[in-house]
Amino acid sequence: MRYYNLVSNAARVLTASSRQHGAHVRVATQHIRWSGARYMSGQTAAERAMEEKLKQEFMTEDVVVQDQSGGCGAQYVVEVVSDKFKGLSTIKQHRLVHSVLKEEVADMHAIRVFTKTP
């Protein structure tokens, strides 16, 4: 999760060239975004708030929250890497994340959660 700048720059270049080179570039750009990259300067207040909440709860800096709805806050992707997930099933890990973001999830249309241990 520490390779944001490199991957973000690649995503910008691919996005800019996608108009010229067709759909295969858009697919590559989307893959880069799903692999943990995000545009650091474009993070919304809601993304930052959820990210901080998760960092405090799971005592980790490896948290990514990304608004996938274009800024309206209807759909998010959340990635958390924490030692607190050791020995828990994936469902239990996701339930922990949902419980931390209970208020925020109530106002969302969709949330995708990805969790793992370091």
Side-chain angles (χ1 to χ4, degrees):
M1 289 187 173
R2 299 285 181 215
Y3 52 92
Y4 300 128
N5 291 336
L6 174 65
V7 179
S8 292
N9 289 338
R12 282 190 207 109
V13 170
L14 287 172
T15 302
S17 66
S18 67
R19 291 182 197 97
Q20 299 169 358
H21 300 292
H24 65 282
V25 175
R26 284 191 288 279
V27 170
T29 304
Q30 191 66 354
H31 175 70
I32 288 170
R33 288 182 185 156
W34 282 107
S35 65
R38 65 171 177 215
Y39 299 111
M40 297 301 284
S41 62
Q43 195 177 30
T44 66
E47 288 172 320
R48 282 190 301 275
M50 286 188 279
E51 197 170 275
E52 285 304 313
K53 209 171 185 181
L54 291 166
K55 283 179 180 180
Q56 289 176 4
E57 178 66 28
F58 294 107
M59 294 179 282
T60 183
E61 289 297 313
D62 290 330
V63 175
V64 175
V65 177
Q66 186 178 24
D67 185 347
Q68 293 287 302
S69 61
C72 72
Q75 182 176 342
Y76 287 91
V77 174
V78 176
E79 297 178 21
V80 182
V81 179
S82 175
D83 286 326
K84 284 192 170 186
F85 297 139
K86 284 187 180 173
L88 298 177
S89 68
T90 303
I91 291 173
K92 288 182 180 179
Q93 293 174 18
H94 290 199
R95 285 182 181 160
L96 282 175
V97 172
H98 279 263
S99 69
V100 171
L101 300 177
K102 185 177 182 176
E103 295 173 9
E104 292 85 351
V105 170
D107 296 329
M108 291 179 199
H109 171 71
I111 183 171
R112 295 183 67 190
V113 178
F114 299 93
T115 56
K116 64 181 181 178
T117 56

